[in-house]
Amino acid sequence: MRIGFGCDHAAAELKEELLHYMEEKGHECVDYGISPGEKADYPVQGRKVAEAITAGEVEKGVLICGTGVGISLAANKVPGIRAAVCSEPYTARLSVQHNNANIIAMGARVVGPELAKMILDEFFGARFEGGRHAARVDLIRDIEEHYTGKKPEL
Ligand code: RB5
């Protein structure tokens, strides 16, 4: 899978480690920054990866900031994006199976690298179950349509 990675300065080291981990697993990873030593605001980074998904540049995204909260809030403002903040593997799996999440967000100050890898394994190993869950995700898309005038494709 083609995966976009983004982070702010609180999470650059963890982003690097996770990007290499996913590359070793055979995924094609696109780095939207930042590198260790650089600084960036989490809304800028969340938006970058979210828009890369809606533009079809990448299929899914991994976003990391200090807590995972700010960067996921920003990403979720982009219509069609469902970013789930997870600090354990169970929620990561269910966020795909039930919510069809297209971004996993984590906090570098919350999870360590090994737990973060387990979370990624669950997220990227899961498949959306559709059925009754599709109807609910569609209700989320209805909210986006109400406020933007357009139903998102994703
Ligand atoms: C940056 O210090 C921190 O506020 C940010 O990484 C994040 O935790 C915000 O949600």
Side-chain angles (χ1 to χ4, degrees):
M1 186 184 293
R2 206 168 145 83
I3 305 168
F5 280 74
C7 66
D8 73 357
H9 45 271
E13 286 79 9
L14 181 59
K15 183 266 296 169
E16 302 276 295
E17 183 166 348
L18 296 182
L19 189 149
H20 293 131
Y21 176 71
M22 293 305 279
E23 275 181 341
E24 276 168 15
K25 295 207 155 228
H27 295 282
E28 196 183 336
C29 298
V30 182
D31 191 354
Y32 291 91
I34 54 174
S35 299
E38 295 180 330
K39 267 194 168 284
D41 293 318
Y42 61 80
V44 174
Q45 295 304 102
R47 181 178 183 172
K48 250 187 223 175
V49 173
E51 289 180 344
I53 293 172
T54 56
E57 280 172 34
V58 292
E59 201 176 322
K60 290 199 176 193
V62 176
L63 288 175
I64 323 169
C65 65
T67 59
V69 173
I71 206 158
S72 63
L73 289 177
N76 276 318
K77 294 296 178 192
V78 177
I81 292 302
R82 290 173 298 278
V85 192
C86 298
S87 51
E88 39 72 29
Y90 177 78
T91 307
R93 171 150 52 93
L94 270 289
S95 75
V96 175
Q97 289 179 338
H98 290 190
N99 315 117
N100 202 13
N102 44 20
I103 290 181
I104 177 97
M106 290 182 281
R109 296 172 182 157
V110 180
V111 297
E114 297 313 312
L115 179 55
K117 288 171 192 169
M118 289 174 77
I119 290 169
L120 289 187
D121 287 344
E122 288 299 313
F123 184 82
F124 287 99
R127 290 293 164 264
F128 182 46
E129 288 177 358
R132 68 186 194 281
H133 303 298
R136 290 164 185 158
V137 171
D138 206 45
L139 289 170
I140 297 175
R141 297 167 68 240
D142 285 348
I143 300 170
E144 292 172 302
E145 184 179 20
H146 175 81
Y147 284 99
T148 64
K150 188 170 176 275
K151 192 139 177 170
E153 282 171 26
L154 295 175

